[in-house]
Amino acid sequence: MSNHDFEELVAPAEVAKELKISVATLRKYSLIVEKVTSNKDYYARTKQKSRLYTKSNIEELKSFRQLAKTKDLTLQEAARQIFAISNKAEDDAKKLSQQSSEANTPLNASIDAKQVVNLLQMLQQTIASQNKAIQNLQAQVARVEKQNQQLIDQNHRLNQPSPETKKDQKIDPEIAAMPDISGIVTSDEKEKQNSFKNEKDDSVEKTAADIHEEILRKARENQEKRAQQNVHRTLADMQIPQKTHWWERFFK
């Protein structure tokens, strides 16, 4: 990147007008400067190779022309003095910038190293905390699996019959070979069943007879009550009274 990339550049005609010289004289001065500095690219150029001048270039040319007039020096001698001083100033500025950059480099490096160390420590702490959390989760999973296995074993034990129950469930082969007599009824049991049935039928018949007798008894009682009520009534009492009209009251 050229030193003139970020500076305002002025065309030769304007520079010659400002220096109050011709464009040809400006070109002559520029050639002397390029020869003294041994730098053909001392001035910026266009694509057509025409020179362009910065403000600092213009000030240098003014000093160069003034020195040649007042000190009675040739143009080459004046150029050596002016541009040697200018080059020295540029060299000093470059040295200062280089020294400052070199001075700042260890500080920046130390700062970067501290930041890296801090980041590494933070990462180590994060990894340690994550490992601890993973261990806690693994312990919880192991406890849950153990509890599940205990529950499964307990369920199996409950579902399996005990040895005593199995022993009680065993049937003697001789008893198993005997015929089934659960449906056989003895003669005594038949007599008991028949007597119970007869007693039940008698109780039913007796109950019906009692109901019939009760109905007859109530009928006789009602008949006797009606007979007693009709004893004191006469024939006159049994006649319907004669009806009187309302006008008969006026004839009495």
Side-chain angles (χ1 to χ4, degrees), residues 190-202:
K190 283 185 178 181
E191 290 179 358
K192 289 180 180 180
Q193 291 178 359
N194 291 330
S195 62
F196 178 75
K197 185 176 181 181
N198 293 330
E199 290 177 358
K200 186 176 180 182
D201 294 338
D202 293 340

Side-chain angles (χ1 to χ4, degrees), residues 234-250:
T234 61
L235 184 61
D237 294 332
M238 296 175 65
Q239 291 181 356
I240 298 172
Q242 188 176 1
K243 186 177 180 181
T244 58
H245 299 283
W246 61 273
W247 65 81
E248 291 180 355
R249 289 180 296 176
F250 297 100

Side-chain angles (χ1 to χ4, degrees), residues 104-119:
N104 291 329
T105 299
L107 180 61
N108 294 331
S110 62
I111 292 173
D112 293 339
K114 289 181 180 179
Q115 291 178 351
V116 170
V117 171
N118 291 332
L119 288 173

Side-chain angles (χ1 to χ4, degrees), residues 79-244:
R80 288 191 187 96
Q81 292 184 11
I82 294 297
F83 291 98
I85 294 171
S86 177
N87 291 335
K88 185 178 179 182
E90 290 180 359
D91 293 339
D92 293 340
K94 288 180 180 179
K95 287 180 181 179
L96 287 173
S97 63
Q98 186 175 1
Q99 289 175 358
S100 63
S101 63
E102 290 176 354
N104 291 329
T105 299
L107 180 61
N108 294 331
S110 62
I111 292 173
D112 293 339
K114 289 181 180 179
Q115 291 178 351
V116 170
V117 171
N118 291 332
L119 288 173
L120 289 174
Q121 290 177 353
M122 292 174 64
L123 287 173
Q124 289 176 353
Q125 292 176 358
T126 304
I127 292 170
S129 62
Q130 289 180 352
N131 290 334
K132 187 175 181 180
I134 291 170
Q135 291 176 358
N136 292 332
L137 289 174
Q138 289 176 349
Q140 291 179 2
V141 170
R143 286 197 297 270
V144 171
E145 289 179 351
K146 185 177 180 181
Q147 292 176 358
N148 290 337
Q149 188 62 38
Q150 290 176 355
L151 291 173
I152 291 170
D153 296 340
Q154 186 177 2
N155 190 18
H156 286 323
R157 287 195 298 270
L158 291 174
N159 291 331
Q160 292 178 357
S162 62
E164 295 179 356
T165 306
K166 290 182 178 179
K167 186 176 180 180
D168 294 339
Q169 289 178 353
K170 290 182 180 180
I171 300 173
D172 191 354
E174 295 181 357
I175 296 174
M178 294 177 66
D180 186 9
I181 58 173
S182 59
I184 299 174
V185 181
T186 61
S187 58
D188 294 337
E189 291 178 351
K190 283 185 178 181
E191 290 179 358
K192 289 180 180 180
Q193 291 178 359
N194 291 330
S195 62
F196 178 75
K197 185 176 181 181
N198 293 330
E199 290 177 358
K200 186 176 180 182
D201 294 338
D202 293 340
S203 63
V204 172
E205 292 177 357
K206 186 177 181 181
T207 303
D210 292 340
I211 292 171
H212 182 67
E213 182 66 26
E214 184 69 21
I215 292 171
L216 292 176
R217 185 175 60 78
K218 287 189 176 291
R220 286 194 295 270
E221 288 178 358
N222 292 332
Q223 187 176 4
E224 290 176 357
K225 287 180 180 180
R226 285 196 297 271
Q228 290 177 1
Q229 290 176 358
N230 294 329
V231 169
H232 302 288
R233 295 183 67 185
T234 61
L235 184 61
D237 294 332
M238 296 175 65
Q239 291 181 356
I240 298 172
Q242 188 176 1
K243 186 177 180 181
T244 58

Side-chain angles (χ1 to χ4, degrees), residues 13-31:
E14 295 180 3
V15 175
K17 184 177 180 181
E18 185 174 351
L19 295 176
K20 297 179 180 180
I21 58 176
S22 64
V23 175
T25 303
L26 177 62
R27 188 180 303 111
K28 180 181 178 181
Y29 289 170
S30 300
L31 287 171

